[in-house]
């Protein structure tokens, strides 16, 4: 059987993100591609315990899947960067596959969200609602009943005229730890129905370092993915297809199944000045601390300022969701520390010569997509694979997209089309 059904969680961040998305379209896409994006199925985020660590998952489940796609990201391992790509891939596969993406440990901010049991947008706008329908059980599967609702002072809502507020305290018990989430459900004025909502109080994010400062190496991140497959996907009775991006490609190759490597980082590029700079920063505690502190300072700025700075610097051509993902997840002290530590161990491991004998043995289970100007997956690696692994499935992307393809809708859609074609061709054999 496939994975057990999951609780679908509603996130205000996700809803606002999609409202912004609908207004932003890449000029490279034609009407047919825009239509595909507008009609695609939406992925859900879930918080899962893997190897004893809280892990973000992004999931889209098919009703009758013929296979299961597991996506492993690059570094940073923030799956929010890949929402466009994964949703497009699901639709291009025609609902024949369930799709799961798994984040890296210590590289994302964890959020709790609550499903109100029906369409939340309607719940927020209906005027005939009884003022007591509040969640009574944990939405994360532990079955814990919520405590009796209580009247609390509604501080910070002075703009509401004599509100009567209904709040509930929902106790989530996971692994013997209780986390209290205060849910501001709605505000009703004296003579009218719903008057105002304070979204910031509706769902409280626990933005903290869940790993208590621990840093994770490339090998530990690889073991984390193997552990997820072993425990979470053990009951899946359909073929498993792995898709990896950048260092995620290297991790995927350690798992014996069909694997598609996107812009793969498989060996250190000694000709890349960018890699040389990143390596210098990664091995220096002083530089790591300085860069992490800078990210933490940027995170303290108002959200619109940090988004503006990202958009004007590294994310000039990025979609709004990609900019939001960087600001929300990457601009954190402990996140940058983990990104750089993992990078340091990547440079150490990938200084070794690739295992060509292994790749020759498994070449029928591998496919590679390289970019024209990508220092992480340069064309000389493409040529080395071609020479050392005759018959390997190799493609060079000519659309002008970058290593960070998932940060634009056009790049996400093109790569999704390429990946869906590879999967269909492989499974038809």
């Amino acid at each position: 059987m496939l994975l057990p059904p999951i609780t679908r969680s509603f996130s205000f961040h996700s809803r606002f993100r999609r409202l912004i998305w609908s207004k932003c379209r890449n000029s490279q896409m034609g009407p047919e591609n825009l239509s595909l994006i507008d009609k695609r199925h939406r992925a859900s985020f879930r918080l899962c315990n893997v190897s004893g660590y809280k892990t973000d998952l992004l999931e889209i489940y098919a009703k009758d899947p013929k296979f299961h796609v597991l996506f492993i990201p690059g570094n940073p391992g923030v799956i929010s960067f890949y929402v466009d790509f994964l949703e497009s891939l699901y639709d291009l596969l025609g609902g024949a596959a369930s799709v799961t993406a798994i984040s890296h440990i210590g590289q994302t901010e964890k959020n709790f969200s609550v499903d109100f049991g029906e369409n939340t947008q309607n719940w927020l706008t209906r005027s005939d609602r009884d003022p007591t329908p509040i969640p009574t059980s944990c939405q994360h599967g532990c079955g814990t009943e919520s405590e009796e609702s209580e009247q609390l002072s509604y501080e910070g809502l002075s703009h509401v005229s004599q509100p009567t507020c209904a709040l509930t305290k929902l106790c989530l018990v996971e692994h013997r730890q209780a986390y209290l989430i205060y849910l501001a459900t709605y505000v009703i004025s004296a003579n009218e129905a719903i008057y105002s909502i304070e979204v910031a109080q509706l769902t409280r994010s626990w933005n903290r370092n869940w790993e208590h400062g621990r840093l994770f190496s490339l090998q530990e991140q690889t073991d984390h993915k193997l552990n997820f497959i072993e425990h979470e996907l053990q009951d899946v009775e359909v073929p498993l297809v792995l898709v990896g991006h950048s260092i995620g490609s290297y991790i995927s190759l350690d798992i014996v199944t069909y694997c598609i490597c996107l812009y793969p980082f498989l060996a250190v590029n000694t000709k890349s000045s960018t890699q040389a700079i990143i390596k210098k920063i990664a091995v220096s505690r002083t530089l790591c601390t300085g860069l992490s502190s800078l990210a933490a300072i940027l995170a303290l700025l108002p959200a619109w300022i940090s988004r503006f700075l990202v958009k004007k610097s590294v994310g000039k051509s990025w979609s709004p969701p990609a900019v939001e993902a960087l600001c929300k997840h990457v601009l954190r002290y402990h996140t940058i520390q983990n990104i750089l530590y993992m990078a340091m161990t990547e440079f150490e491991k990938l200084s070794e010569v690739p295992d060509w004998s292994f790749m020759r043995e498994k070449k029928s289970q591998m496919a590679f997509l390289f970019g024209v100007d990508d220092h992480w997956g340069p064309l000389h690696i493409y040529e080395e694979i071609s020479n050392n692994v005759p018959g390997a499935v190799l493609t060079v992307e000519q659309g002008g997209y970058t290593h960070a393809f998932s940060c634009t809708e056009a790049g996400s859609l093109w790569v999704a089309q390429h990946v869906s074609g590879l999967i269909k061709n492989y499974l038809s054999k």
Side-chain angles (χ1 to χ4, degrees), residues 331-348:
L331 294 183
R332 298 290 184 271
Y333 182 89
H334 61 275
T335 300
I336 296 296
Q337 289 274 305
N338 256 297
I339 289 171
L340 291 173
Y341 182 75
M342 182 178 176
M344 180 185 71
T345 59
E346 289 173 26
F347 289 127
E348 292 173 353

Side-chain angles (χ1 to χ4, degrees), residues 78 123 154 173 177 202 205 218 262 282-283 310 323 347 351 356 399:
V78 178
W123 191 90
Y154 215 71
V173 179
Q177 285 185 308
L202 184 57
S205 299
L218 172 61
L262 307 176
V283 299
V310 170
V323 172
F347 289 127
S351 295
W356 299 121

